[in-house]
Amino acid sequence: KTDMAPQPIGPYSAGIKTDCFVFTAGQIAIDPQTGEVVSDGIAAETRQVLNNIRNILEAAGSSLDLVVKTTVFLRDMADFSAMNPVYAEFFTHNPPARSTVQVCALPKGVAVEIEAIAVIKD
């Protein structure tokens, strides 16, 4: 749990830490300072989501550099070409394995949700 990421909007944890891994819940583009959804398009949403994931991972003793797998949920696969370059800004070296799927709806009407699995630092 960290104040640098949005508080869960349901009965779940933002992330769970095991001996070796951190598993994040799916994160949407909620600004942790305001509690409001960032609604300036898919690029801004993706950036907020990945910043939220970074903060959860760092609070658990990991980092984006240690992410091994992500799953990206898009409300519209047509947004892939605008989401992907922002995603690439956060994973510049040895990017993790990734699945990207289109879903019919996401919480709070957002366009993207991402979950991650990362290794814990030694």
Side-chain angles (χ1 to χ4, degrees), residues 9 14 63 73 84 98 117:
I9 58 176
S63 70
F73 303 94
N84 204 46
R98 178 179 77 183
I117 302 169

Side-chain angles (χ1 to χ4, degrees), residues 31-84:
D31 181 328
Q33 305 306 316
T34 66
E36 299 296 320
V37 172
V38 172
S39 57
D40 296 329
I42 187 71
E45 281 193 39
T46 303
R47 189 166 283 109
Q48 183 66 57
V49 167
L50 291 168
N51 280 322
N52 292 344
I53 289 173
R54 176 192 348 232
N55 292 334
I56 293 166
L57 295 176
E58 289 177 356
S62 189
S63 70
L64 287 175
D65 290 337
L66 297 172
V67 172
V68 295
K69 173 73 168 81
T70 63
T71 305
V72 178
F73 303 94
L74 292 174
R75 189 179 60 212
D76 185 346
M77 196 57 82
D79 287 335
F80 183 88
S81 62
M83 176 278 299
N84 204 46

